[in-house]
Amino acid sequence: MRLLLVEDDDHVAAALSAVLARHGFDVVHARSGEEALQALLPAETPPFGVVLLDLGLPDQDGYEVCGKIRKRGSIPVIMVTARSDVRSRIHGLNLGADDYVVKPYDTGELIARIHAVIRRPTPGGAVAPGDSELRLGPVHIELPTRQVSVDGSVVQLTRKEFDLLALLAQRPGVVFRREQIISEVWRTSWEGTGRTLEVHVASLRSKLHMPALIETVRGVGYRLVAPAA
């Protein structure tokens, strides 16, 4: 699989490229946002399967680059940055990033996250088989088109945000264990994904403007609290 590494530090990029190559990735290195966007233009070469995007780029902010990438298509984007606060993570996810890795990181963790985001959801994985839509008060979830609206207004969600919401919405009021959610949405049992789950829940609450929609059950997991119609 071809992987686009967007990193302005040549030493970091060289070390990471060597690790990724040992795991079977064909790495292309871009040193700036403009180089990254040019590399993603349609060409005869095989398309990239994932983008590793550093936020501290010399020509433009990585958030801006992520927004431009997302407007062009649905290629998975993993932000890699030293910005560790939750607000920065939520902002990145709102722009369409599929995951957010904080420096310094373990390379095994990074590889696991890459494999998690490139696993495309399969029919019946995170949505209820046989159903075409779910209605929960003002929230309308269309499963075939993967579209969510609140009071008729469409809400733009990332793939993982949609899968998470659809999973919880199948059984309102039922508590889903964290391990179950991670297994069904991220297709992995890797414990480190738990922090990513928390960030996705926070992002959903923010995007839907319904902080009480997803309730945290301390020490267990999450459940969806169906709002009044």
Side-chain angles (χ1 to χ4, degrees):
M1 174 178 292
R2 298 183 77 223
L3 179 150
L4 179 61
L5 173 60
V6 189
E7 169 63 63
D8 65 321
D9 189 316
D10 287 341
H11 295 291
V12 172
L16 184 54
S17 295
V19 173
L20 292 169
R22 289 199 296 270
H23 284 80
F25 291 98
D26 178 12
V27 181
V28 174
H29 177 208
R31 295 172 176 81
S32 67
E34 186 58 33
E35 280 189 32
L37 295 172
Q38 287 297 319
L40 289 169
L41 291 174
E44 296 181 0
T45 54
F48 290 98
V50 65
V51 177
L52 292 185
L53 176 62
D54 181 54
L55 295 184
L57 300 174
D59 58 338
Q60 52 190 305
D61 191 84
Y63 287 130
E64 181 181 354
V65 177
C66 180
K68 292 176 180 178
I69 293 174
R70 187 53 66 235
K71 288 179 180 179
R72 296 183 179 185
S74 59
I75 180 174
V77 176
I78 299 178
M79 289 184 172
V80 184
T81 176
R83 305 174 195 177
S84 60
D85 60 288
V86 173
R87 181 172 297 181
S88 294
R89 297 184 186 210
I90 292 175
H91 182 49
L93 293 171
N94 283 342
L95 288 173
D98 295 89
D99 205 347
Y100 195 108
V101 178
V102 177
K103 298 177 179 178
Y105 52 81
D106 179 81
T107 53
E109 170 187 347
L110 181 62
I111 297 298
R113 288 178 181 263
I114 292 173
H115 284 297
V117 301
I118 61 179
R119 294 189 185 103
R120 300 285 180 170
T122 57
V127 297
D131 292 339
S132 61
E133 62 181 41
L134 299 170
R135 289 186 179 275
L136 301 159
V139 182
H140 182 204
I141 305 172
E142 297 181 9
L143 303 180
T145 61
R146 301 176 64 82
Q147 180 171 290
V148 175
S149 58
V150 177
D151 288 326
S153 298
V154 175
V155 180
Q156 298 297 328
L157 301 181
T158 66
R159 291 194 306 276
K160 295 303 183 186
E161 288 170 350
F162 179 90
D163 291 340
L164 173 57
L165 178 62
L167 175 65
L168 298 177
Q170 291 177 40
R171 301 172 68 187
V174 174
V175 178
F176 284 79
R177 292 179 294 105
R178 294 165 62 90
E179 296 84 357
Q180 179 184 359
I181 297 173
I182 291 171
S183 175
E184 296 197 31
V185 175
W186 276 267
R187 309 300 177 88
T188 180
S189 60
W190 181 61
E191 295 180 356
T193 311
R195 183 54 179 161
T196 298
L197 170 58
E198 293 176 3
V199 173
H200 278 70
V201 169
S203 182
L204 273 175
R205 290 168 174 162
S206 174
K207 285 187 176 183
L208 298 173
H209 300 290
M210 302 177 71
L213 180 66
I214 302 176
E215 180 182 357
T216 301
V217 181
R218 187 175 299 276
V220 182
Y222 298 92
R223 67 181 166 199
L224 189 143
V225 180

